[in-house]
Each structure stands twice: as C-alpha cells, then as structure tokens.
Amino acid sequence: MTALIPRLRQEHQSLTAEVHQLFRETREFLSETKANREEQARKQAQELHAFREELEYTTQDFLKETAKTRDAQAKAQAKFLYQFHHNLEQDTHNFLATTAKDRAKRAKEQRQNLRQFRQDLFASIFG
C-alpha cells in the first residue's frame, strides 16, 4: 500500500496539471472567441454605420430629384393650364362675337322681312 501512495500522488499531480492546462486552454479559447466576436461586432457596426450614411445620402438625393421632377411637372401643368385658359377665353370671345354678329344679322333680316310684310299687308289692304 505504501507503493500505492506515491503513485496516487503522481496521478493526482498529473490530473491537477491536466486540469490547469485545460483551464488555461479554455480561458485562451474564450478570450480569443471574445476578441473575435468583438472584432466582428466592431466591423458590423462600422458597416451598418456606413450603410446608414449611404442610405441617408441616397434618400436625400432621391427626395431632391423627386422634388425637382414634381416642380417641373407642376410648372408644365401650370403652363398648360394657362395656355388652355387663354385658348378657352379666346374661343369664348370668338364664339360670343360670332354669335352676336349672327344675331344682329338675323335681327336685321327679321326687321327687313317684317317691313316687307307690312308693306305687302298695306298693299293688299289699301291696294
């Protein structure tokens, strides 16, 4: 049994050394893993920041271009409506002028027809 004790002590020391070695390796692994994850997180944060900035610039450019396009469309529409209104006024003026001329011409014709009717009536009554 005496010979067994030194052997048990040696196995105990050997196991203790292995546990310490595993503990060191585990700490190194966890430290490396933590460092890698922190580096990945930092890179991802940088990429997200760059993406956000690019998105903001792209959005601003899009909004500016959209505003320019809408402004141009509004100006074109205003020009069209102005021209349409002008043409409508001109057409209305021409229509009213033509209608007034036609009515005046018909009134003159009716006056002449009425005068002729009276003359014919007088001639037929008074002979």
Side-chain angles (χ1 to χ4, degrees):
M1 177 114 173
T2 315
L4 188 60
I5 291 178
R7 190 169 146 211
L8 287 175
R9 279 187 194 150
Q10 187 179 6
E11 284 182 18
H12 182 266
Q13 287 175 352
S14 177
L15 285 173
T16 303
E18 283 185 38
V19 167
H20 286 299
Q21 180 64 26
L22 284 173
F23 183 72
R24 269 190 305 251
E25 289 174 1
T26 303
R27 272 190 295 159
E28 288 174 11
F29 172 78
L30 292 175
S31 179
E32 288 176 15
T33 302
K34 180 182 175 186
N36 288 339
R37 287 187 179 171
E38 287 174 350
E39 179 64 19
Q40 287 174 344
R42 187 185 61 74
K43 285 181 181 178
Q44 189 176 28
Q46 287 175 343
E47 290 171 1
L48 287 173
H49 179 73
F51 174 76
R52 180 176 173 259
E53 284 183 347
E54 182 64 28
L55 183 62
E56 284 180 12
Y57 291 130
T58 303
T59 301
Q60 288 298 330
D61 289 345
F62 172 76
L63 292 175
K64 285 177 187 176
E65 289 301 315
T66 301
K68 285 180 187 177
T69 301
R70 288 184 178 169
D71 185 51
Q73 288 173 342
K75 286 178 181 177
Q77 188 176 20
K79 183 178 178 182
F80 170 78
L81 289 175
Y82 174 79
Q83 189 64 41
F84 178 78
H85 178 73
H86 177 72
N87 291 346
L88 184 61
E89 281 184 348
Q90 189 65 40
D91 290 347
T92 302
H93 176 74
N94 291 342
F95 172 76
L96 293 175
T98 302
T99 302
K101 286 179 186 177
D102 289 345
R103 287 184 180 173
K105 182 180 174 184
R106 277 190 275 146
K108 186 177 179 182
E109 289 174 358
Q110 286 177 349
R111 216 179 6 249
Q112 288 174 350
N113 289 341
L114 186 57
R115 190 175 296 137
Q116 186 64 44
F117 175 75
R118 285 182 187 164
Q119 287 174 358
D120 292 345
L121 184 62
F122 269 146
S124 68
I125 294 177
F126 297 114

